[in-house]
Amino acid sequence: MLITFKSKSYPDVMMYQEHAKRILDLLNKEPEMGVITSAEAARAAELLEQEIEESRRHPPTDEVEQDIKAHPGDDDDAEHEQAQVVSFSTRAYPMLEMLRSARDHKTDILWGV
């Protein structure tokens, strides 16, 4: 399921719920519906920046490699490109930019409404 984050000061940001959940848990928000007020945006951006930095210190585990290899394909799959891991920092960057914009322009971020 997709979550669309909306703010008057930044283009919409769409994320899969499973990826957004990590950010929303960090901010103590529910994925179904919510708001990050302009007053909360500065602290939320700071928390997300810290989480991104922490995630960069720890490389992906072997678990990711195991997930990729868990479903070996037929011989036809040999021509497909190798699956690439998308890091948390890459996934979180649009949301971080939205939080910074909300902080700077004093706008709220809404989802699920």
Side-chain angles (χ1 to χ4, degrees):
M1 184 169 139
L2 287 174
I3 297 177
T4 302
F5 296 95
K6 297 178 178 283
S7 177
K8 290 182 179 180
S9 65
Y10 197 81
D12 291 356
V13 172
M14 292 175 46
M15 298 178 79
Y16 284 109
Q17 184 173 344
E18 64 190 74
H19 300 142
K21 187 167 178 3
R22 180 172 175 185
I23 296 169
L24 294 173
D25 285 348
L26 179 70
L27 305 177
N28 296 315
K29 302 290 184 177
E30 295 296 323
E32 292 79 27
M33 181 185 299
V35 62
I36 299 170
T37 65
S38 59
E40 296 173 312
R43 179 68 180 139
E46 183 180 307
L47 287 170
L48 187 52
E49 286 169 349
Q50 291 171 0
E51 186 72 9
I52 288 170
E53 283 304 312
E54 183 65 24
S55 74
R56 287 181 178 161
R57 290 188 197 118
H58 303 286
T61 63
D62 291 336
E63 201 173 294
V64 173
E65 181 101 8
Q66 290 172 358
D67 282 348
I68 292 171
K69 293 179 179 176
H71 304 284
D74 299 332
D75 291 337
D76 295 338
D77 288 342
E79 294 180 24
H80 292 285
E81 290 184 30
Q82 187 72 306
Q84 294 185 7
V85 177
V86 178
S87 69
F88 172 74
S89 60
T90 301
R91 291 189 194 282
Y93 187 77
M95 188 64 181
L96 178 59
E97 286 297 300
M98 180 179 265
L99 287 167
R100 289 173 177 163
S101 178
R103 172 194 67 200
D104 296 344
H105 295 96
K106 305 212 182 319
T107 58
D108 297 339
I109 298 172
L110 305 166
W111 64 95
V113 290

